[in-house]
């Protein structure tokens, strides 16, 4: 049984994870942390993380970047491993994550979905073969109209998974509107679509002579990220200090 503290328990993702863990016989949320205690939860909720003295194996974080500094202090002091899912961290906060990971286990990935992280693994395997055969590489990502960054962090991570496997690094191309030249071979193009309530769609396209191979991932709800976070928490229990990613979770 993995005992979990849910950091950001009353947010959308915190509540999704609460529901997933409630149906999981191998995990239990023993406490929650949130700026307000305005929901009915089956565990105690603390509005100040420093007041939380509940014993736990792992913390799952789905809060806001503003709350990360106190969380990292708490993790470092209590020596409780943490699955960091909050995005938009500053360079200073990312440096602090690296510092804390030298003393306690920290898991942070660009995307918590098990499917996306499996796709990372597949791309590292097939990309050298297809690139050598002359296939052009394009990445198309689609998200809801509230998403402000483009391309998505996951799209960039997919590009990195491809690029890291190639003997010669490709350039990233984010905008072709000003170009009037044929497409160079050694580049990875990124395209972004924003609209409606699209949770997340990513296509990695390998376009060759007379054939196209597309690797696609579609998230139909945010629960895919929540499920990945719970699996990460199970993995992180008892792990030694270090910076882990979902790559270690899927093996």
């Amino acid at each position: 049984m993995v005992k979990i503290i849910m950091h950001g328990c009353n947010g959308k993702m915190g509540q999704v994870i609460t529901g997933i863990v409630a149906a999981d016989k191998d995990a239990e949320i023993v406490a929650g942390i949130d700026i307000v205690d305005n929901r009915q939860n089956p565990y105690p909720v603390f509005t100040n993380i420093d007041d939380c003295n509940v014993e736990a194996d792992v913390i799952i974080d789905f809060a806001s970047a503003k709350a990360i500094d106190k969380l990292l202090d708490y993790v470092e002091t209590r020596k409780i491993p943490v699955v960091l899912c909050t995005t938009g961290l500053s360079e200073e906060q990312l440096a602090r994550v690296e510092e804390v990971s030298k003393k306690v286990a920290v898991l942070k990935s660009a995307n918590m979905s098990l499917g996306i992280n499996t796709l990372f693994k597949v791309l590292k395997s097939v990309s050298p073969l297809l690139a050598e055969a002359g296939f052009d590489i394009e990445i198309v990502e689609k998200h809801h109209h509230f998403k402000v960054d483009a391309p998505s962090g996951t799209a960039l991570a997919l590009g990195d998974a491809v690029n890291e496997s190639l003997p010669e690094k490709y350039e990233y191309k984010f905008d072709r509107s000003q170009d009037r030249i044929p497409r160079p071979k050694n580049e990875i193009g990124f395209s972004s679509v924003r609209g409606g309530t699209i949770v997340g769609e990513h296509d990695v396209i390998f376009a060759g002579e007379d054939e196209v191979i597309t690797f696609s991932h579609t998230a139909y709800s945010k629960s895919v990220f929540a499920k990945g976070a719970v699996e990460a928490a199970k993995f992180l229990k008892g792990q030694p200090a270090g910076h882990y990613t979902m790559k270690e979770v899927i093996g």
Side-chain angles (χ1 to χ4, degrees):
M1 176 70 71
V2 179
K3 295 182 178 180
I4 300 168
I5 294 175
M6 185 65 232
H7 186 248
C9 64
N10 289 333
K12 290 182 179 179
M13 291 302 296
Q15 288 296 291
V16 172
I17 290 174
T18 295
I20 289 173
V21 173
D24 191 327
K25 61 181 176 57
D26 296 320
E28 177 189 7
I29 297 180
V30 295
I33 311 293
D34 209 293
I35 192 171
V36 292
D37 182 11
N38 60 354
R39 291 182 183 271
Q40 293 295 320
N41 291 301
Y43 46 79
V45 175
F46 299 84
T47 56
N48 184 342
I49 192 172
D50 294 329
D51 295 335
C52 181
N53 57 2
V54 179
E55 293 297 320
D57 300 309
V58 185
I59 299 171
I60 296 179
D61 159 65
F62 257 114
S64 71
K66 295 178 181 178
I68 289 298
D69 296 331
K70 287 193 71 174
L71 171 62
L72 292 174
D73 290 343
Y74 183 85
V75 166
E76 185 177 32
T77 301
R78 295 287 302 276
K79 298 294 187 292
I80 302 177
V82 61
V83 179
L84 280 177
C85 303
T86 295
T87 59
L89 304 189
S90 67
E91 292 299 323
E92 291 78 10
Q93 288 174 320
L94 292 173
R96 177 76 173 124
V97 169
E98 291 300 324
E99 180 184 338
V100 171
S101 70
K102 296 175 183 177
K103 304 174 184 178
V104 63
V106 178
L107 189 147
K108 187 179 189 312
S109 282
N111 188 301
M112 299 304 296
S113 159
L114 295 173
I116 280 287
N117 283 277
T118 301
L119 183 53
F120 290 153
K121 190 174 182 178
V122 170
L123 289 173
K124 289 180 179 180
S125 175
V126 303
S127 296
L129 173 64
L130 295 176
E132 184 178 357
F135 283 71
D136 295 322
I137 306 169
E138 294 283 319
I139 297 175
V140 180
E141 56 95 352
K142 305 174 186 178
H143 284 87
H144 52 83
H145 56 216
F146 293 110
K147 189 170 180 61
V148 296
D149 56 316
S152 68
T154 299
L156 291 171
L158 289 167
D160 290 343
V162 172
N163 223 355
E164 289 167 5
S165 69
L166 302 179
E168 295 184 9
K169 300 308 176 190
Y170 280 28
E171 297 293 324
Y172 290 170
K173 187 70 173 181
F174 301 113
D175 181 15
R176 301 187 192 281
S177 63
Q178 302 302 314
D179 296 338
R180 294 294 184 271
I181 58 173
R183 183 192 193 281
K185 296 298 297 182
N186 291 356
E187 73 176 28
I188 300 175
F190 292 81
S191 301
S192 298
V193 176
R194 296 290 176 266
T197 59
I198 301 171
V199 175
E201 297 181 18
H202 293 85
D203 293 330
V204 183
I205 302 166
F206 293 86
E209 290 291 330
D210 301 322
E211 59 180 337
V212 175
I213 302 172
T214 302
F215 295 89
S216 299
H217 179 272
T218 300
Y220 291 103
S221 79
K222 292 185 177 181
S223 66
V224 298
F225 312 119
K227 291 174 183 175
V230 173
E231 292 304 311
K234 294 178 183 178
F235 163 83
L236 209 60
K237 177 185 177 180
Q239 294 289 351
H243 189 166
Y244 299 86
T245 69
M246 289 297 289
K247 179 173 67 176
E248 285 82 19
V249 177
I250 66 173

